[in-house]
Structures are given as structure tokens and as C-alpha cells.
Amino acid sequence: SDYGLNANWNIRARLQYGGVQWLTIDPAIGVIEEDQSQVVTVNFDATNLEPGTYNANIRISNNSINEQLVIVPVTLVVSEPVMYTLTLLVNPDDAGVVTGSGTYTAGTVVTVNAVANEGYEFINWTDADDNVVSDVAENEITVNEDLTFIANFELTVNVFDIWESQLSIYPNPASDIINFISNDNIRKLELFTLTGQKVYGAEVNHNNYKLDVSGLPQGFYIVKLTNMEGEIHTTRILIAR
């Protein structure tokens, strides 16, 4: 700035330096006898540091007769964190809700949980190769690689279903066509094997429906019916020829 003075300017300032925050040594000062040694621990802390290379010097001075300053170079390399993905699936698709999936730093311990929807019950967790890894719904998983787990559920059958007095299913056993007639409109009809595999699904929105089962193998199946209020009811049918 031009203050109109023909003179030199002296600027005086006080500089303060807090040291390298990611590097500490212990002990930082001490006394040792001649020809003796002292172990000094060097600690690195990469907390809140961006990935990159950080450099510093440890300066060791002494009060010996031939005083010399010893400089020890220090380098810290902060790498990008290693991330892995934990994928959680549900079998059958609408049988329940799972929590805990996501991408995590290597070594993170994640709590995974499976909660069955109405009409289902939890069976087990399996991996991508169909190996059973747990029969408990809630587990702690250490993520050290990409992982995929499937929460398996099966339908629960209630032979005293509250729709029993309102719903007619015939013929049962059936060979080709099964009729569903209800006092209450059926919003959705789904058909599952006893192991929970979904083999059929349809939006009905009516109080009667004809289901063609001629292309299905013989055996017992679970019918899952949803009414207009979203209430779920299940029963068992038999396909026989």
C-alpha cells in the first residue's frame, strides 16, 4: 500500500508451530550415559489424513563435546482404503426384509439381520454357493472380501385360516384347473412349493379366479392370498393326476 512515505517497512511477526500431527516419538527428551542407548518409539497416526505421501524429519540434538545434529527422515504413505461390498438377498423375494448390506472398509464388523414378513418364517442364511452359514437371523460379519448371503424363508401354513369360512377352493386335489371363490375380493394370488420357491403369481382384484396348474408337477403347494386390505392368508393345495 502507498502511504505516501519514502521509507522502508519492517514487519515483525511471531510464528508458532505445533509440530507434525501425524508423527510422535516417545520419549521426546531424555538423558543417557556415555556409550549407552535408549529405545525411542515412533508412532504414526493417519486419522483424518487424505491419501498421499507425508514427509518429516526427526531432529536429534545432544550436549556432547562434539555436538552434532542427527536428522532422521520419516515418510508416511497413506493409501486409499480397501473397500468391499456385502450383498444380502431374500429367498423368496417378498418373504422378508434384510438389513446390513452395503460397502465397507476392510475389516469392518457388520450386523446383518433378517425379519420375516407375515406368512413366512426365517430358515437360514446361505452363501453364494448355497452353503448354510448360519441358522440364526442376526449375525455379525467381518467384511474382508466381497460377500453375498441369502436369507431363506418358508411359508407358514395355518389350516385354521380366518378365510376358511369365506373361501372355496375346488377341486382339491386338482389335475388341471383350481377355482378360488371368496366373499372378499382377492387382490393377489401366489403359488409356492413347500421349500418356498415361487412358481406363479397374478393380480386378481376379483372374488373368483381360475388357476391353471396343468403344467406344474404333482405334489403339495402353498397358496398365498392377499385381500384388498393387504391381509395375507395361506393354505395348502394338492396337484395329483
Side-chain angles (χ1 to χ4, degrees), residues 102-181:
T103 301
Y104 300 95
T105 304
T108 301
V109 178
V110 181
T111 299
V112 300
N113 194 24
V115 178
N117 287 335
E118 184 179 356
Y120 292 88
E121 63 180 358
F122 172 79
I123 301 301
N124 57 29
W125 288 98
T126 53
D127 62 17
D129 297 321
D130 205 29
N131 300 308
V132 176
V133 295
S134 176
D135 57 3
V136 180
E138 183 172 303
N139 297 268
E140 288 189 344
I141 305 296
T142 301
V143 183
N144 282 319
E145 59 181 326
D146 290 332
L147 296 170
T148 297
F149 294 115
I150 302 99
N152 298 290
F153 300 85
E154 71 176 7
L155 283 165
T156 56
V157 180
N158 181 4
V159 295
F160 302 105
D161 195 292
I162 65 174
W163 268 14
E164 288 294 322
S165 61
Q166 306 176 21
L167 178 67
S168 296
I169 302 176
Y170 65 89
N172 187 19
S175 60
D176 48 11
I177 299 294
I178 300 180
N179 297 280
F180 295 85
I181 300 177

Side-chain angles (χ1 to χ4, degrees), residues 210-227:
K210 293 182 181 293
L211 174 61
D212 184 357
V213 297
S214 59
L216 294 175
Q218 298 187 91
F220 283 100
Y221 292 82
I222 301 298
V223 176
K224 177 182 174 184
L225 300 164
T226 305
N227 66 12

